[in-house]
Amino acid sequence: MSRKKIALIGGGQIGGVLAQLIAQRQLGDVVMYDIVEDLPQGKCLDIAEASRIDGFDIVVKGTNDYKDIEGSDLVIVTAGLPRRPGMSRDDLLTTNAKIMKTVAENVKQYAPNAISIIISNPLDAMVTLYKKITGFPENRVMGQAGVLDSSRFATFIAWELGVSVKDVNALVLGGHGDTMVPIVRYANVNGIPAMEILEKKYGDKNKAKEVMTAMVERTKQAGGEVVKLLKTGSAFYSPASAAIAMAESIIYDEKRVLPVCAYLNGEYGVKGYYVGVPAVLGEKGVEKVIEFDLDAEEKALLNNSVNAVKSLVADMERLGF
């Protein structure tokens, strides 16, 4: 059986970690594209030279020619610039929309049957633009955000409760930004509500609520916290790992339920926008959006996040994309 071909568009920090993880887990042969001459070739050569050590026979190839992604089964897009000091949201939107337009046009030409995972920011707008330009079916275009945001939320809960993060389940909905919605009510440790454990730990419901609110806010600002600490750059290990979880579910047809930026066609009362929701990921991409009942407060928070996504998309359209 032939291996899957996985194209990575963008040879930056996330792209490099993605290539290494794909090779180590033997998910498929890798072709990494970047506009910078020799950069993807150098990164891929470095990874390939560890093949004996890590025990993989995966092909890892770098290129500056989009034609080399031809026939890819899966495309993961990380191309784009991070927001820099003095750069407005319009500046970031304009710059990255231009990059995404070129990416989408080339993927459409050379890998028309691929499933695509978008990581580039501002995420909700970039996924929307990519889908618009490629014209790919909705199930084959998605964004990575919720897997990462949910992992961050779960990690903070595990640290606070002193338990293994393997046993913590947490879910974050909505746009990938300050309006994201960590769902506190369903956060649990092997089925035990996290709030219940917090309340017993502190013996005070108000204190438990205060601590949980702090974890929710830290989750919302987690990306910025990493940027502030790194000083030059943004998170790359965790976004890459999150995308790999999605890729594995698609390649192996695992049918995992993961929070992804998916196109909504009426679910959660939203139609025609990409929003972070739980979805079944399998060989066809987003195979089903999972709906569950939200209480009044959760609905209001999600609606607020959806409105932020709509505003972002409207800004992008105003800028001519």
Side-chain angles (χ1 to χ4, degrees):
M1 185 175 69
S2 61
R3 291 193 289 255
K4 297 290 186 182
K5 182 175 181 179
I6 303 171
L8 306 178
I9 311 299
Q13 295 277 48
I14 297 177
V17 177
L18 281 170
Q20 183 179 36
L21 290 174
I22 290 167
Q24 290 175 336
R25 300 188 187 196
Q26 303 192 75
L27 298 183
D29 290 334
V30 176
V31 56
M32 178 195 290
Y33 169 87
D34 198 278
I35 194 171
V36 179
E37 189 174 347
D38 293 336
L39 172 67
Q41 290 89 337
K43 286 199 174 185
C44 289
L45 178 60
D46 190 20
I47 292 167
E49 287 172 347
S51 60
R52 175 63 183 87
I53 302 164
D54 290 339
F56 63 81
D57 288 305
I58 294 300
V59 175
V60 187
K61 175 184 177 180
T63 183
N64 304 117
D65 188 346
Y66 270 111
K67 193 176 188 308
D68 288 328
I69 75 168
E70 192 165 21
S72 294
D73 300 287
L74 179 66
V75 175
I76 305 178
V77 182
T78 67
L81 298 178
R83 189 166 176 174
R84 295 169 177 168
M87 181 182 279
S88 70
R89 186 168 77 163
D90 280 5
D91 291 337
L92 183 66
L93 263 176
T94 300
T95 300
N96 283 351
K98 287 178 180 176
I99 294 170
M100 188 58 68
K101 183 175 183 291
T102 300
V103 170
E105 289 169 347
N106 280 282
V107 174
K108 181 179 181 180
Q109 179 178 352
Y110 293 111
N113 297 314
I115 292 173
S116 301
I117 299 172
I118 313 301
I119 304 180
S120 309
N121 282 314
L123 181 78
D124 309 287
M126 294 302 100
V127 181
T128 300
L129 181 60
Y130 183 94
K131 164 68 174 69
K132 177 182 177 181
I133 292 172
T134 60
F136 290 171
E138 295 142 13
N139 62 296
R140 290 204 281 119
V141 177
M142 69 199 79
Q144 187 293 112
V147 176
L148 170 58
D149 295 329
S150 298
S151 178
R152 286 168 165 166
F153 189 27
T155 299
F156 301 147
I157 291 171
W159 289 347
E160 172 61 33
L161 298 180
V163 300
S164 170
V165 73
K166 296 176 185 176
D167 295 325
V168 179
N169 300 299
L171 176 65
V172 177
L173 305 181
H176 186 51
D178 296 344
T179 63
M180 68 178 71
V181 187
I183 304 295
V184 172
R185 190 162 54 101
Y186 285 112
N188 68 82
V189 180
N190 263 351
I192 305 167
M195 279 302 299
E196 184 176 321
I197 301 175
L198 264 180
E199 288 170 8
K200 288 183 178 178
K201 175 181 177 178
Y202 288 103
D204 183 334
K205 287 188 176 182
N206 289 331
K207 176 63 177 177
K209 186 174 181 180
E210 178 185 314
V211 171
M212 178 58 78
T213 297
M215 288 191 286
V216 165
E217 289 307 309
R218 188 177 184 186
T219 300
K220 292 180 179 181
Q221 306 299 327
E225 184 178 0
V226 173
V227 169
K228 186 176 180 181
L229 290 167
L230 290 177
K231 296 179 178 63
T232 55
S234 55
F236 53 97
Y237 290 116
S238 50
S241 290
I244 290 296
M246 295 168 66
E248 283 184 329
S249 191
I250 292 166
I251 289 169
Y252 296 135
D253 194 26
E254 291 177 337
K255 314 292 189 189
R256 289 194 66 191
V257 177
L258 296 171
V260 303
C261 186
Y263 187 86
L264 298 186
N265 201 14
E267 298 91 348
Y268 296 95
V270 180
K271 188 175 179 65
Y273 286 91
Y274 273 92
V275 178
V277 292
V280 176
L281 293 192
E283 62 181 355
K284 296 177 183 177
V286 176
E287 299 191 348
K288 183 181 180 181
V289 170
I290 301 294
E291 283 191 274
F292 64 97
D293 291 335
L294 300 174
D295 62 26
E297 182 181 4
E298 292 160 349
K299 283 181 181 176
L301 289 170
L302 182 58
N303 287 338
N304 178 58
S305 192
V306 170
N307 287 335
V309 170
K310 289 179 177 178
S311 175
L312 187 64
V313 172
D315 282 349
M316 183 175 66
E317 292 173 346
R318 173 177 55 80
L319 293 167
F321 295 96

